[in-house]
Amino acid sequence: MTDGDRILVTILYRRRVCGLDPLAELFGVCRSTLWNAIKDVLPILDARRIDITPAEHRHTTAADLLASVNEPQTEDHGDGHG
């Protein structure tokens, strides 16, 4: 895993976007490799007091997470015009 991958996977984990199994599948690594990356990066985020808000939806599979990325996003401006 690259340093960027390690940071990204830790942010996704902290946001509770999905569990370890889907993240391991997405990044093509085993759970232990993934967990080691998270354990290495979490103290850095905590030391810098970086607050990561949990996601509104938790995906149960890698396919579910990837499908949500490809869904069209709409903005709600509160005026009924999207």
Side-chain angles (χ1 to χ4, degrees), residues 37-63:
I38 292 168
K39 288 191 316 187
D40 289 345
V41 174
L42 276 177
I44 297 167
L45 296 178
D46 291 342
R48 298 185 191 288
R49 295 188 175 146
I50 297 173
D51 185 34
I52 299 172
T53 305
E56 293 180 15
H57 177 76
R58 185 174 174 100
H59 301 279
T60 56
T61 66

Side-chain angles (χ1 to χ4, degrees), residues 5-20:
D5 288 345
R6 295 162 60 83
I7 294 166
L8 177 58
V9 79
T10 303
I11 291 169
L12 292 173
Y13 173 79
R14 181 62 64 90
R15 281 191 47 86
R16 299 182 190 119
V17 170
C18 59
L20 291 177

